[in-house]
Amino acid sequence: MSLSRRQVAVAAVAAVPLAFSATGTAQATGRRNRTLYIAGDSTAAQKYADAAPETGWGMALPFFLRHGLTVANHAVNGRSSKSFVDEGRLDAILGAIKPGDLLLIQFAHNDEKVEDPTRYTEPWTTYQDHLRMYVDGARARGARPVLATAVERRRFDANGKAVPTHGEYPAAMRALAAEERVALLDVQALSLALWQELGVEETKKYFNWTASEQDNTHFNPPGAIAVARLVARELLRARVLGPGDVRRLEAEISESWITWPEAAA
């Protein structure tokens, strides 16, 4: 039985009860509570017990944000900027987002899949067109959109140089951010530089490399924490958040803080 767009949107909300913040209240901090929504793919998404130790960077982001700044992680495995919209997931966010909230948008990994028309977008046309839906939707509701270029995969050439994997998508997002005057977090450039600094062998400790799998796209806890730290620093640099909104930017974050809940039935 097919579902209406409204039904899918409602289902998406029910499937993402993933709003995390540190203990504390707006009264205790003297600031109004706000929510940072994440629209994205598997690199950011919440992971469950059956996927451990795979970890999305969105799971670690709350460790770097102040009390009362909640993360609502709507990122879902396998989605592109197009399929996220087509499934009603953007509608679900826009139905909940409030004035003063933030919508952080990170897509490209699955937009690149030219063989799949349900997900593929072309960087300078349909990709930008879909990203505008997120930007315009957030602004229409008094929320602030924030574009984040896609985090890089682990790929090195024969000389040990970290190489980019996202083609024209980061450039297309940068151009759109400039055109629309949207804050940009250049996670692609920063993560590529980080993988270069760490090198071929050390980066394996940040990705989901296990005895049975060599995954160069998804993170384990150290990788998710490292990328979340980059995101938090960029939110501060871009003046999306102020110094009082972030914490622990230079502190050690224990892997034990990462937990994988059981998937909802």
XYZ file of all heavy atoms in Angstrom, residues 46-54 59 259-264:
124
model
N 22.576 8.501 13.332
C 22.552 7.658 14.516
C 22.712 6.200 14.107
O 22.086 5.743 13.159
C 21.220 7.830 15.251
C 21.005 6.895 16.414
C 21.919 7.190 17.589
O 22.132 8.357 17.920
N 22.447 6.168 18.221
N 23.550 5.468 14.815
C 23.717 4.030 14.599
C 23.184 3.285 15.813
O 23.204 3.803 16.937
C 25.193 3.667 14.371
C 25.898 4.538 13.338
C 25.307 4.416 11.962
C 26.040 5.340 10.986
N 25.527 5.253 9.618
N 22.764 2.054 15.571
C 22.156 1.256 16.621
C 23.037 0.049 16.965
O 24.080 -0.186 16.338
C 20.750 0.840 16.191
C 19.847 2.042 16.049
C 19.694 2.669 14.807
C 19.195 2.576 17.151
C 18.890 3.795 14.673
C 18.386 3.705 17.029
C 18.230 4.305 15.788
O 17.450 5.426 15.664
N 22.608 -0.681 17.984
C 23.456 -1.732 18.548
C 23.921 -2.737 17.512
O 25.051 -3.235 17.575
C 22.706 -2.436 19.679
N 23.073 -3.040 16.534
C 23.449 -4.045 15.545
C 24.500 -3.548 14.562
O 25.063 -4.330 13.798
C 22.221 -4.545 14.781
C 21.485 -3.448 14.033
O 21.850 -2.259 14.188
O 20.524 -3.767 13.298
N 24.794 -2.231 14.581
C 25.794 -1.661 13.672
C 27.110 -1.328 14.364
O 28.087 -1.002 13.692
C 25.251 -0.404 13.006
N 27.156 -1.391 15.688
C 28.376 -1.028 16.419
C 29.563 -1.850 15.919
O 29.405 -3.020 15.573
C 28.160 -1.265 17.907
N 30.743 -1.225 15.791
C 31.141 0.100 16.300
C 30.953 1.255 15.311
O 31.492 2.343 15.549
C 32.625 -0.107 16.588
C 33.072 -1.042 15.500
C 31.910 -1.987 15.303
N 30.225 1.049 14.213
C 29.994 2.150 13.278
C 29.298 3.298 14.011
O 28.351 3.089 14.760
C 29.158 1.676 12.099
C 28.978 2.734 11.026
C 28.201 2.219 9.820
O 28.397 1.042 9.436
O 27.406 2.992 9.265
N 26.319 11.623 16.298
C 26.220 11.020 17.630
C 27.182 11.673 18.613
O 26.939 11.666 19.829
C 26.495 9.521 17.536
C 25.481 8.749 16.709
S 26.030 7.066 16.298
C 26.153 6.303 17.923
N 27.320 5.610 22.737
C 26.459 4.457 22.994
C 25.605 4.177 21.762
O 25.301 5.086 20.986
C 25.546 4.692 24.199
O 24.730 5.852 23.955
C 26.360 4.897 25.472
N 25.246 2.927 21.607
C 24.415 2.485 20.484
C 23.122 1.896 21.044
O 23.121 0.749 21.508
C 25.138 1.431 19.651
C 26.412 1.893 19.025
C 26.571 2.405 17.767
C 27.719 1.889 19.605
N 27.885 2.719 17.524
C 28.626 2.416 18.640
C 28.235 1.494 20.854
C 29.982 2.546 18.885
C 29.587 1.640 21.111
C 30.442 2.155 20.137
N 22.037 2.628 21.005
C 20.784 2.099 21.549
C 20.246 0.964 20.671
O 20.635 0.808 19.512
C 19.853 3.303 21.523
C 20.403 4.187 20.446
C 21.899 3.986 20.479
N 19.341 0.210 21.239
C 18.632 -0.789 20.443
C 17.714 -0.070 19.454
O 17.117 0.956 19.776
C 17.805 -1.707 21.344
C 18.638 -2.564 22.279
C 19.500 -3.580 21.530
O 19.096 -4.010 20.422
O 20.576 -3.932 22.050
N 17.629 -0.607 18.258
C 16.762 -0.001 17.255
C 15.306 -0.089 17.694
O 14.890 -1.049 18.334
C 16.952 -0.700 15.908
N 14.530 0.955 17.355
C 13.109 0.940 17.680
C 12.421 -0.188 16.932
O 12.736 -0.488 15.768
C 12.480 2.285 17.310
